[in-house]
Amino acid sequence: MRLTIENLERGISWWEKKEKWPQDFHNGVYYELYALRNNGLTPEWWGETVNRLWDWRAIRSKTPPNTKDEIRKRGLRVLTKIRKYYTKIRRKVRGEPVFIDYKWHEIEGLYDELVRIKGSRSPNFPSKLGHFIYPKLFIVRDHQATGVEDYTPFWSSMSEAWERFSYKKEARKILTRTIRNQTDRQIHEHYPFEIKIIELCIIGSRHG
C-alpha cells in the first residue's frame, strides 16, 4: 500500500460524486458515533449500532439467518466479551486509541469476536463495526469503495504505509479544507484523519 496526495485527491473526487454519501466525509457521523459510545458499549448502544450497520449495508445477506434481528441477538450474546476487549484496548493509551499505537495481536481478539457475530470472514461487517467502536483504530473495507481482502495483513501494513507517507500535514490540510467547504459544523475533535486519508487513498488508487 502506497499513500500519495494524487490518490487522496482522486479518492475525494470519487466520494464527492456519490450522491448518497455524506459530503462532510462523515464528520456528522462521528459526532453521533462518539456520543452513542459515551456510556460504553451498552445494549442500547448495540441496538442503535445494528441499525447503522444495516444502513451501511453490512448485514444484508441472501442467505439466512443474517437478518437484522438475528444480528442483534447474536451481538447481545457476546456483548460482555466485546466490552472486555474494548476496555483492555482503551487502557493502553490516554485518549482515543489510534492504530499507529497498536500491533495486530493487541486488537485481534476484539476483531475475531466481531467476525463471529455475522459468521463471515469478509471484512465488510467486522471492519465497519470495528470502525463504529474505535474510528481511529479500524478502517472500513467494503466491496464498492475500497475492495475487500484479508484484513489482518492489510491492517498490519497501515502503520508502515503511514510512516512512509511524507505528506501527512498536506493531506490533513486538503481533507480539512474539503470538509469545511461542505459544512459549517466544527470538525470533531476525534475525527479519524489518519484512517480517512488512508481510506481515500485506497479509493483513489482503485477508482482514479
Side-chain angles (χ1 to χ4, degrees):
M1 175 172 48
R2 184 169 174 265
L3 308 180
T4 68
I5 293 297
E6 292 76 17
N7 280 336
L8 172 64
E9 291 175 336
R10 291 190 190 106
I12 289 172
S13 178
W14 185 87
W15 184 298
E16 290 176 328
K17 293 174 184 175
K18 307 297 288 185
E19 293 182 359
K20 295 183 179 180
W21 288 37
Q23 295 300 294
D24 66 351
F25 291 80
H26 288 139
N27 185 50
V29 168
Y30 293 119
Y31 274 91
E32 296 170 5
L33 291 177
Y34 287 116
L36 184 60
R37 202 197 65 184
N38 193 49
N39 293 320
L41 307 190
T42 63
E44 292 74 22
W45 165 86
W46 176 240
E48 291 300 318
T49 297
V50 171
N51 291 335
R52 192 179 299 275
L53 287 164
W54 180 265
D55 292 341
W56 282 41
R57 306 181 71 84
I59 293 175
R60 293 172 176 83
S61 175
K62 295 180 180 179
T63 305
N66 286 326
T67 63
K68 186 193 261 191
D69 189 54
E70 183 62 27
I71 292 297
R72 183 180 290 109
K73 290 176 181 177
R74 290 185 192 176
L76 285 173
R77 287 197 290 266
V78 298
L79 190 56
T80 299
K81 286 185 178 180
I82 291 174
R83 277 199 296 258
K84 288 180 179 179
Y85 285 117
Y86 167 84
T87 302
K88 183 178 180 180
I89 289 170
R90 187 153 199 161
R91 282 175 178 165
K92 181 180 177 181
V93 296
R94 288 186 175 183
E96 192 66 20
V98 182
F99 73 95
I100 55 176
D101 294 324
Y102 293 81
K103 300 295 183 183
W104 177 252
H105 69 86
E106 295 176 293
I107 68 168
E108 185 176 14
L110 173 58
Y111 183 80
D112 286 346
E113 286 299 329
L114 305 185
V115 168
R116 291 187 186 102
I117 293 173
K118 187 176 181 182
S120 169
R121 291 306 303 180
S122 168
N124 184 37
F125 178 89
S127 70
K128 289 177 180 177
L129 178 50
H131 189 70
F132 296 163
I133 296 172
Y134 281 132
K136 290 174 169 280
L137 192 57
F138 292 95
I139 188 171
V140 170
R141 300 306 303 266
D142 65 15
H143 293 280
Q144 183 182 12
T146 63
V148 293
E149 58 186 86
D150 190 340
Y151 198 75
T152 303
F154 167 78
W155 188 94
S156 297
S157 72
M158 288 201 304
S159 291
E160 183 180 350
W162 187 252
E163 286 296 325
R164 290 198 311 263
F165 187 38
S166 302
Y167 300 97
K168 298 180 183 67
K169 290 183 179 179
E170 182 179 350
R172 185 177 177 120
K173 287 180 181 178
I174 291 170
L175 184 52
T176 297
R177 182 171 62 248
T178 302
I179 296 170
R180 286 177 175 166
N181 285 340
Q182 297 295 337
T183 180
D184 293 329
R185 195 172 195 179
Q186 182 177 351
I187 297 177
H188 195 278
E189 62 176 323
H190 296 310
Y191 187 91
F193 275 101
E194 300 93 340
I195 287 287
K196 193 62 71 177
I197 289 168
I198 293 172
E199 179 185 359
L200 289 166
C201 283
I202 295 169
I203 292 172
S205 69
R206 294 188 77 240
H207 300 283

PDB file of all heavy atoms in Angstrom, residues 146-166:
ATOM      1  N   THR A 146     -13.480   0.472  -1.331  1.00  0.00           N
ATOM      2  CA  THR A 146     -12.079   0.098  -1.105  1.00  0.00           C
ATOM      3  C   THR A 146     -11.719  -1.289  -1.607  1.00  0.00           C
ATOM      4  O   THR A 146     -10.545  -1.622  -1.736  1.00  0.00           O
ATOM      5  CB  THR A 146     -11.740   0.148   0.395  1.00  0.00           C
ATOM      6  OG1 THR A 146     -12.538  -0.829   1.079  1.00  0.00           O
ATOM      7  CG2 THR A 146     -12.019   1.526   0.969  1.00  0.00           C
ATOM      8  N   GLY A 147     -12.750  -2.119  -1.856  1.00  0.00           N
ATOM      9  CA  GLY A 147     -12.463  -3.526  -2.127  1.00  0.00           C
ATOM     10  C   GLY A 147     -12.237  -4.251  -0.817  1.00  0.00           C
ATOM     11  O   GLY A 147     -12.014  -3.635   0.232  1.00  0.00           O
ATOM     12  N   VAL A 148     -12.345  -5.567  -0.852  1.00  0.00           N
ATOM     13  CA  VAL A 148     -12.148  -6.357   0.361  1.00  0.00           C
ATOM     14  C   VAL A 148     -11.005  -7.340   0.145  1.00  0.00           C
ATOM     15  O   VAL A 148     -10.789  -7.848  -0.943  1.00  0.00           O
ATOM     16  CB  VAL A 148     -13.429  -7.122   0.754  1.00  0.00           C
ATOM     17  CG1 VAL A 148     -14.520  -6.159   1.165  1.00  0.00           C
ATOM     18  CG2 VAL A 148     -13.927  -7.993  -0.392  1.00  0.00           C
ATOM     19  N   GLU A 149     -10.259  -7.574   1.190  1.00  0.00           N
ATOM     20  CA  GLU A 149      -9.157  -8.520   1.167  1.00  0.00           C
ATOM     21  C   GLU A 149      -8.909  -8.977   2.595  1.00  0.00           C
ATOM     22  O   GLU A 149      -9.576  -8.512   3.521  1.00  0.00           O
ATOM     23  CB  GLU A 149      -7.902  -7.865   0.584  1.00  0.00           C
ATOM     24  CG  GLU A 149      -7.454  -6.626   1.339  1.00  0.00           C
ATOM     25  CD  GLU A 149      -6.291  -5.905   0.680  1.00  0.00           C
ATOM     26  OE1 GLU A 149      -6.538  -5.077  -0.216  1.00  0.00           O
ATOM     27  OE2 GLU A 149      -5.152  -6.182   1.065  1.00  0.00           O
ATOM     28  N   ASP A 150      -7.975  -9.865   2.760  1.00  0.00           N
ATOM     29  CA  ASP A 150      -7.652 -10.360   4.098  1.00  0.00           C
ATOM     30  C   ASP A 150      -7.312  -9.173   5.006  1.00  0.00           C
ATOM     31  O   ASP A 150      -6.360  -8.438   4.754  1.00  0.00           O
ATOM     32  CB  ASP A 150      -6.465 -11.332   4.011  1.00  0.00           C
ATOM     33  CG  ASP A 150      -6.242 -12.071   5.316  1.00  0.00           C
ATOM     34  OD1 ASP A 150      -6.716 -11.593   6.375  1.00  0.00           O
ATOM     35  OD2 ASP A 150      -5.587 -13.123   5.296  1.00  0.00           O
ATOM     36  N   TYR A 151      -8.103  -8.983   6.032  1.00  0.00           N
ATOM     37  CA  TYR A 151      -7.987  -7.778   6.845  1.00  0.00           C
ATOM     38  C   TYR A 151      -6.716  -7.750   7.691  1.00  0.00           C
ATOM     39  O   TYR A 151      -6.137  -6.681   7.898  1.00  0.00           O
ATOM     40  CB  TYR A 151      -9.210  -7.652   7.755  1.00  0.00           C
ATOM     41  CG  TYR A 151      -9.415  -6.267   8.324  1.00  0.00           C
ATOM     42  CD1 TYR A 151      -9.911  -5.239   7.529  1.00  0.00           C
ATOM     43  CD2 TYR A 151      -9.130  -5.989   9.661  1.00  0.00           C
ATOM     44  CE1 TYR A 151     -10.115  -3.967   8.043  1.00  0.00           C
ATOM     45  CE2 TYR A 151      -9.333  -4.723  10.183  1.00  0.00           C
ATOM     46  CZ  TYR A 151      -9.827  -3.714   9.373  1.00  0.00           C
ATOM     47  OH  TYR A 151     -10.016  -2.450   9.887  1.00  0.00           O
ATOM     48  N   THR A 152      -6.276  -8.906   8.151  1.00  0.00           N
ATOM     49  CA  THR A 152      -5.130  -8.941   9.058  1.00  0.00           C
ATOM     50  C   THR A 152      -3.867  -8.368   8.441  1.00  0.00           C
ATOM     51  O   THR A 152      -3.273  -7.426   9.001  1.00  0.00           O
ATOM     52  CB  THR A 152      -4.873 -10.380   9.556  1.00  0.00           C
ATOM     53  OG1 THR A 152      -6.052 -10.874  10.190  1.00  0.00           O
ATOM     54  CG2 THR A 152      -3.708 -10.415  10.532  1.00  0.00           C
ATOM     55  N   PRO A 153      -3.384  -8.872   7.300  1.00  0.00           N
ATOM     56  CA  PRO A 153      -2.170  -8.284   6.721  1.00  0.00           C
ATOM     57  C   PRO A 153      -2.381  -6.849   6.261  1.00  0.00           C
ATOM     58  O   PRO A 153      -1.457  -6.025   6.343  1.00  0.00           O
ATOM     59  CB  PRO A 153      -1.842  -9.205   5.546  1.00  0.00           C
ATOM     60  CG  PRO A 153      -3.115  -9.902   5.224  1.00  0.00           C
ATOM     61  CD  PRO A 153      -3.839 -10.045   6.522  1.00  0.00           C
ATOM     62  N   PHE A 154      -3.600  -6.551   5.793  1.00  0.00           N
ATOM     63  CA  PHE A 154      -3.860  -5.170   5.382  1.00  0.00           C
ATOM     64  C   PHE A 154      -3.722  -4.227   6.568  1.00  0.00           C
ATOM     65  O   PHE A 154      -3.033  -3.201   6.497  1.00  0.00           O
ATOM     66  CB  PHE A 154      -5.249  -5.030   4.763  1.00  0.00           C
ATOM     67  CG  PHE A 154      -5.656  -3.587   4.614  1.00  0.00           C
ATOM     68  CD1 PHE A 154      -5.158  -2.834   3.576  1.00  0.00           C
ATOM     69  CD2 PHE A 154      -6.483  -2.983   5.556  1.00  0.00           C
ATOM     70  CE1 PHE A 154      -5.488  -1.486   3.464  1.00  0.00           C
ATOM     71  CE2 PHE A 154      -6.811  -1.639   5.444  1.00  0.00           C
ATOM     72  CZ  PHE A 154      -6.315  -0.900   4.398  1.00  0.00           C
ATOM     73  N   TRP A 155      -4.398  -4.558   7.680  1.00  0.00           N
ATOM     74  CA  TRP A 155      -4.340  -3.681   8.845  1.00  0.00           C
ATOM     75  C   TRP A 155      -2.901  -3.516   9.329  1.00  0.00           C
ATOM     76  O   TRP A 155      -2.474  -2.406   9.648  1.00  0.00           O
ATOM     77  CB  TRP A 155      -5.209  -4.241   9.979  1.00  0.00           C
ATOM     78  CG  TRP A 155      -5.355  -3.285  11.134  1.00  0.00           C
ATOM     79  CD1 TRP A 155      -6.363  -2.392  11.342  1.00  0.00           C
ATOM     80  CD2 TRP A 155      -4.434  -3.113  12.223  1.00  0.00           C
ATOM     81  NE1 TRP A 155      -6.136  -1.675  12.497  1.00  0.00           N
ATOM     82  CE2 TRP A 155      -4.959  -2.092  13.050  1.00  0.00           C
ATOM     83  CE3 TRP A 155      -3.225  -3.710  12.568  1.00  0.00           C
ATOM     84  CZ2 TRP A 155      -4.309  -1.666  14.211  1.00  0.00           C
ATOM     85  CZ3 TRP A 155      -2.583  -3.290  13.727  1.00  0.00           C
ATOM     86  CH2 TRP A 155      -3.115  -2.280  14.533  1.00  0.00           C
ATOM     87  N   SER A 156      -2.162  -4.606   9.340  1.00  0.00           N
ATOM     88  CA  SER A 156      -0.778  -4.553   9.817  1.00  0.00           C
ATOM     89  C   SER A 156       0.105  -3.695   8.929  1.00  0.00           C
ATOM     90  O   SER A 156       1.143  -3.197   9.371  1.00  0.00           O
ATOM     91  CB  SER A 156      -0.207  -5.971   9.905  1.00  0.00           C
ATOM     92  OG  SER A 156      -0.925  -6.750  10.851  1.00  0.00           O
ATOM     93  N   SER A 157      -0.296  -3.521   7.683  1.00  0.00           N
ATOM     94  CA  SER A 157       0.510  -2.717   6.746  1.00  0.00           C
ATOM     95  C   SER A 157       0.227  -1.226   6.882  1.00  0.00           C
ATOM     96  O   SER A 157       0.971  -0.398   6.352  1.00  0.00           O
ATOM     97  CB  SER A 157       0.233  -3.155   5.309  1.00  0.00           C
ATOM     98  OG  SER A 157      -1.059  -2.733   4.875  1.00  0.00           O
ATOM     99  N   MET A 158      -0.834  -0.860   7.587  1.00  0.00           N
ATOM    100  CA  MET A 158      -1.221   0.549   7.632  1.00  0.00           C
ATOM    101  C   MET A 158      -0.179   1.418   8.338  1.00  0.00           C
ATOM    102  O   MET A 158       0.130   2.516   7.881  1.00  0.00           O
ATOM    103  CB  MET A 158      -2.574   0.710   8.321  1.00  0.00           C
ATOM    104  CG  MET A 158      -3.747   0.227   7.506  1.00  0.00           C
ATOM    105  SD  MET A 158      -5.327   0.959   8.064  1.00  0.00           S
ATOM    106  CE  MET A 158      -5.348   0.508   9.806  1.00  0.00           C
ATOM    107  N   SER A 159       0.351   0.931   9.455  1.00  0.00           N
ATOM    108  CA  SER A 159       1.334   1.731  10.195  1.00  0.00           C
ATOM    109  C   SER A 159       2.571   1.994   9.351  1.00  0.00           C
ATOM    110  O   SER A 159       3.098   3.116   9.320  1.00  0.00           O
ATOM    111  CB  SER A 159       1.729   1.021  11.492  1.00  0.00           C
ATOM    112  OG  SER A 159       0.656   1.007  12.402  1.00  0.00           O
ATOM    113  N   GLU A 160       3.031   0.965   8.662  1.00  0.00           N
ATOM    114  CA  GLU A 160       4.208   1.126   7.804  1.00  0.00           C
ATOM    115  C   GLU A 160       3.929   2.128   6.687  1.00  0.00           C
ATOM    116  O   GLU A 160       4.762   2.995   6.390  1.00  0.00           O
ATOM    117  CB  GLU A 160       4.614  -0.219   7.203  1.00  0.00           C
ATOM    118  CG  GLU A 160       5.866  -0.155   6.355  1.00  0.00           C
ATOM    119  CD  GLU A 160       6.246  -1.508   5.771  1.00  0.00           C
ATOM    120  OE1 GLU A 160       5.645  -2.522   6.182  1.00  0.00           O
ATOM    121  OE2 GLU A 160       7.139  -1.544   4.909  1.00  0.00           O
ATOM    122  N   ALA A 161       2.765   2.017   6.058  1.00  0.00           N
ATOM    123  CA  ALA A 161       2.411   2.933   4.978  1.00  0.00           C
ATOM    124  C   ALA A 161       2.307   4.365   5.501  1.00  0.00           C
ATOM    125  O   ALA A 161       2.762   5.316   4.842  1.00  0.00           O
ATOM    126  CB  ALA A 161       1.090   2.508   4.344  1.00  0.00           C
ATOM    127  N   TRP A 162       1.726   4.523   6.684  1.00  0.00           N
ATOM    128  CA  TRP A 162       1.581   5.855   7.255  1.00  0.00           C
ATOM    129  C   TRP A 162       2.937   6.444   7.613  1.00  0.00           C
ATOM    130  O   TRP A 162       3.188   7.642   7.402  1.00  0.00           O
ATOM    131  CB  TRP A 162       0.667   5.808   8.479  1.00  0.00           C
ATOM    132  CG  TRP A 162       0.342   7.169   9.018  1.00  0.00           C
ATOM    133  CD1 TRP A 162       0.799   7.734  10.164  1.00  0.00           C
ATOM    134  CD2 TRP A 162      -0.528   8.145   8.413  1.00  0.00           C
ATOM    135  NE1 TRP A 162       0.283   8.987  10.322  1.00  0.00           N
ATOM    136  CE2 TRP A 162      -0.538   9.272   9.260  1.00  0.00           C
ATOM    137  CE3 TRP A 162      -1.288   8.158   7.242  1.00  0.00           C
ATOM    138  CZ2 TRP A 162      -1.274  10.415   8.973  1.00  0.00           C
ATOM    139  CZ3 TRP A 162      -2.029   9.300   6.952  1.00  0.00           C
ATOM    140  CH2 TRP A 162      -2.010  10.409   7.804  1.00  0.00           C
ATOM    141  N   GLU A 163       3.821   5.634   8.143  1.00  0.00           N
ATOM    142  CA  GLU A 163       5.158   6.112   8.485  1.00  0.00           C
ATOM    143  C   GLU A 163       5.923   6.560   7.241  1.00  0.00           C
ATOM    144  O   GLU A 163       6.693   7.518   7.276  1.00  0.00           O
ATOM    145  CB  GLU A 163       5.940   5.007   9.213  1.00  0.00           C
ATOM    146  CG  GLU A 163       5.510   4.765  10.644  1.00  0.00           C
ATOM    147  CD  GLU A 163       5.763   5.966  11.530  1.00  0.00           C
ATOM    148  OE1 GLU A 163       6.772   6.671  11.324  1.00  0.00           O
ATOM    149  OE2 GLU A 163       4.935   6.217  12.430  1.00  0.00           O
ATOM    150  N   ARG A 164       5.723   5.874   6.127  1.00  0.00           N
ATOM    151  CA  ARG A 164       6.433   6.207   4.887  1.00  0.00           C
ATOM    152  C   ARG A 164       5.864   7.454   4.217  1.00  0.00           C
ATOM    153  O   ARG A 164       6.539   8.070   3.390  1.00  0.00           O
ATOM    154  CB  ARG A 164       6.347   5.048   3.886  1.00  0.00           C
ATOM    155  CG  ARG A 164       7.144   3.817   4.247  1.00  0.00           C
ATOM    156  CD  ARG A 164       7.353   2.935   3.014  1.00  0.00           C
ATOM    157  NE  ARG A 164       6.105   2.700   2.308  1.00  0.00           N
ATOM    158  CZ  ARG A 164       5.345   1.611   2.461  1.00  0.00           C
ATOM    159  NH1 ARG A 164       5.720   0.662   3.305  1.00  0.00           N
ATOM    160  NH2 ARG A 164       4.218   1.466   1.786  1.00  0.00           N
ATOM    161  N   PHE A 165       4.651   7.802   4.545  1.00  0.00           N
ATOM    162  CA  PHE A 165       3.959   8.897   3.872  1.00  0.00           C
ATOM    163  C   PHE A 165       4.549  10.237   4.323  1.00  0.00           C
ATOM    164  O   PHE A 165       4.455  10.619   5.487  1.00  0.00           O
ATOM    165  CB  PHE A 165       2.466   8.829   4.201  1.00  0.00           C
ATOM    166  CG  PHE A 165       1.606   9.788   3.453  1.00  0.00           C
ATOM    167  CD1 PHE A 165       1.840  10.083   2.117  1.00  0.00           C
ATOM    168  CD2 PHE A 165       0.530  10.407   4.080  1.00  0.00           C
ATOM    169  CE1 PHE A 165       1.032  10.964   1.418  1.00  0.00           C
ATOM    170  CE2 PHE A 165      -0.287  11.285   3.401  1.00  0.00           C
ATOM    171  CZ  PHE A 165      -0.026  11.558   2.067  1.00  0.00           C
ATOM    172  N   SER A 166       5.144  10.947   3.412  1.00  0.00           N
ATOM    173  CA  SER A 166       5.872  12.182   3.743  1.00  0.00           C
ATOM    174  C   SER A 166       4.999  13.428   3.724  1.00  0.00           C
ATOM    175  O   SER A 166       5.480  14.519   4.046  1.00  0.00           O
ATOM    176  CB  SER A 166       7.041  12.376   2.767  1.00  0.00           C
ATOM    177  OG  SER A 166       7.927  11.274   2.805  1.00  0.00           O
TER     178      SER A 166
END
